[in-house]
Amino acid sequence: MKNFKKVFASTTVAVALLTACASGEQQALTVSGLDPAKFDTTINEKPVKLYTLKNQQGMEVCITNYGGRVVSLVVNDKDGKPTDVVLGFDNIAQYADTLNSPTDYGSSVGRYANRIKNAQFKIGEETYNLKVNDNENCLHGGGTTGWMNQVYDAEQIGDSILKLTIVAEDGENGFPGKVTAVTTYKVTADNMLDITWEAETDKATIINQTNHNYYNLSGDFTQAGYDQVLYVNADQFTASDAKYIPTGEIRNVEGTPFDFRTPHAIGDSIRSQYDQIQNATGYDHNFCLNTYKDGKGDDTQVCASLYSPKTGIFMEMYTNEPGVQVYSGNFQGVGKDADIVRKHGIKYPKHVSVCLESQKYPDSPNHPEWASPVLQPGEKYYSHAAYKFSVK
């Protein structure tokens, strides 16, 4: 208890541990090795817990309603060994310590995923100024005060479904409109993590939610994930400047390190001298999905996939969104991040993982030529992403 209080002394998050084991009964560890008692707490006077979803095939997904974060995701490898394939912490204290261990690991990002240039946008003639938290830009809805660090109301439905609800007030981090948003996680019988985001607003606003799982399908988080084989069903990507903001140029992937239409190992091209790779020291870019045409995304088609030759674990991604952000963990293991201990006592190296984030294009509120993120009163926001696991 002493150490827990010390961690939060310098943050704005008020945390009080609950006596989860007051009855004297000890909670069993999850398949991924998590102790649910380490997530049983209150933050800002709201209860936080660890929820476990599973199916009959041995898939297990553990989620905390703090930020709607996926803490672990276990599937069987080619030898039938349960393998945790996502990065994270093994306790709520580190997730909520936004001063010493800030991270978006596993979160349900909102209200706007990715970056908005100069933390500013317009709806009609009205200009909105957002919280600045990434250079002069707004990233992931304000970061430490965005939805990834808020407590959702949780409702678990059986063994396989979790509904998380958040109500964001008008003016939160500069965004207009009171928004009620629901994220639903579902583990299906065929080893799919299915995620839907739904939202309504009382005032014109922008919304662009995503899941921010960091994947390493080898299950070995001590090594860079260079051997992970990536496929992205995209002929084009949005070029970015040195601060990761789209320039407005859409480039063809042909002849560049961004051509993953034929699957290949991420490490084959991550050290390229290509300007976009050099700017980001890896991949941190939006791919324009071929599965999105004429203003509609086909979430029955595979838009991306990831494969580990070590474990044989194969992940296929589906979404109705126009883009997917591929992020290769360029800030992991860099500077102070190199000293932070995560799950199982591991310190992560650079490029240990890859994120595949469904989304509207970054900075799309300032690019009317791209799919619009504007949500009007009376409309319903709906976004879908699914990640299906198998072995080969």
Side-chain angles (χ1 to χ4, degrees):
M1 177 69 78
K2 208 180 219 178
N3 290 337
F4 192 95
K5 288 183 178 178
K6 185 177 179 182
V7 165
F8 291 99
S10 54
T11 72
T12 58
V13 179
V15 179
L17 283 176
L18 293 177
T19 54
C21 300
S23 64
E25 296 181 5
Q26 184 152 0
Q27 298 182 55
L29 299 183
T30 67
V31 174
S32 60
L34 297 173
D35 181 355
K38 292 183 178 180
F39 291 83
D40 203 349
T41 188
T42 57
I43 297 178
N44 294 334
E45 301 181 350
K46 299 190 72 174
V48 174
K49 292 181 63 176
L50 187 71
Y51 297 85
T52 300
L53 306 182
K54 57 188 177 181
N55 65 13
Q56 296 298 316
Q57 314 308 317
M59 183 176 180
E60 177 197 79
V61 180
C62 295
I63 302 166
T64 172
N65 58 316
Y66 177 74
R69 294 169 180 265
V70 175
V71 180
S72 65
L73 194 162
V74 171
V75 290
N76 292 331
D77 70 4
K78 60 186 177 182
D79 298 317
K81 177 185 175 183
T83 304
D84 186 2
V85 297
V86 298
L87 277 56
F89 296 111
D90 61 7
N91 62 86
I92 195 61
Q94 285 183 285
Y95 279 111
D97 184 5
T98 57
L99 181 62
N100 297 301
S101 55
T103 178
D104 50 15
Y105 286 150
S107 60
S108 182
V109 181
R111 130 177 7 184
Y112 194 92
N114 220 308
R115 293 172 174 86
I116 297 176
K117 184 178 182 179
N118 296 327
Q120 188 178 85
F121 71 95
K122 293 178 70 174
I123 297 180
E125 298 302 314
E126 186 78 22
T127 298
Y128 296 96
N129 295 297
L130 309 175
K131 178 184 174 182
V132 175
N133 67 316
D134 181 70
N135 296 309
E136 63 270 24
N137 310 306
C138 180
L139 172 63
H140 291 334
T144 57
T145 54
W147 293 1
M148 70 175 73
N149 291 296
Q150 303 298 321
V151 180
Y152 288 66
D153 294 326
E155 178 190 5
Q156 183 162 353
I157 304 170
D159 288 339
S160 61
I161 299 174
L162 180 66
K163 295 186 71 171
L164 300 174
T165 302
I166 190 169
V167 178
E169 297 299 329
D170 180 26
E172 176 195 62
N173 289 337
F175 289 95
K178 182 177 181 178
V179 170
T180 300
V182 179
T183 301
T184 303
Y185 289 102
K186 182 178 181 180
V187 170
T188 67
D190 58 350
N191 282 358
M192 179 181 288
L193 175 61
D194 188 277
I195 312 171
T196 57
W197 295 271
E198 299 169 282
E200 294 180 297
T201 182
D202 65 357
K203 183 179 179 180
T205 190
I206 58 172
I207 188 163
N208 179 39
Q209 287 199 258
T210 194
N211 169 260
H212 218 295
N213 282 350
Y214 287 69
Y215 291 101
N216 185 322
L217 302 186
S218 76
D220 182 0
F221 304 153
T222 66
Q223 304 294 323
Y226 294 137
D227 66 341
Q228 294 195 95
V229 176
L230 177 66
Y231 163 76
V232 185
N233 187 1
D235 295 331
Q236 297 178 313
F237 72 100
T238 51
S240 299
D241 63 21
K243 295 182 178 179
Y244 314 101
I245 295 293
T247 62
E249 177 190 7
I250 293 182
R251 295 188 188 180
N252 293 325
V253 301
E254 183 77 35
T256 78
F258 288 77
D259 193 348
F260 285 95
R261 294 173 298 180
T262 298
H264 66 85
I266 294 171
D268 293 346
S269 50
I270 201 169
R271 300 180 184 86
S272 168
Q273 295 303 304
Y274 188 63
D275 68 319
Q276 293 294 296
I277 295 289
Q278 289 296 301
N279 283 349
T281 67
Y283 294 97
D284 193 0
H285 294 79
N286 171 71
F287 285 73
C288 307
L289 294 174
N290 294 335
T291 53
Y292 189 89
K293 295 179 180 178
D294 302 321
K296 186 177 181 180
D298 185 351
D299 55 6
T300 66
Q301 292 188 54
V302 175
C303 67
S305 69
L306 197 64
Y307 169 68
S308 169
K310 290 180 180 176
T311 60
I313 296 173
F314 181 52
M315 181 182 81
E316 296 169 292
M317 179 183 179
Y318 306 80
T319 186
N320 66 331
E321 293 291 355
V324 61
Q325 186 85 2
V326 175
Y327 173 57
S328 56
N330 310 324
F331 295 112
Q332 293 168 343
V334 177
K336 293 180 179 179
D337 189 85
D339 297 323
I340 299 176
V341 177
R342 275 83 172 196
K343 281 188 296 187
H344 312 303
I346 295 172
K347 296 180 180 180
Y348 295 154
K350 186 173 183 178
H351 296 151
V352 66
S353 64
V354 63
C355 298
L356 299 175
E357 310 158 53
S358 58
Q359 62 176 4
K360 302 292 190 297
Y361 296 174
D363 197 35
S364 57
N366 295 311
H367 288 271
E369 70 276 18
W370 296 343
S372 174
V374 174
L375 181 69
Q376 298 284 354
E379 296 178 342
K380 291 187 177 181
Y381 170 81
Y382 175 81
S383 182
H384 178 229
Y387 303 82
K388 185 177 182 180
F389 295 86
S390 59
V391 293
K392 67 173 186 176

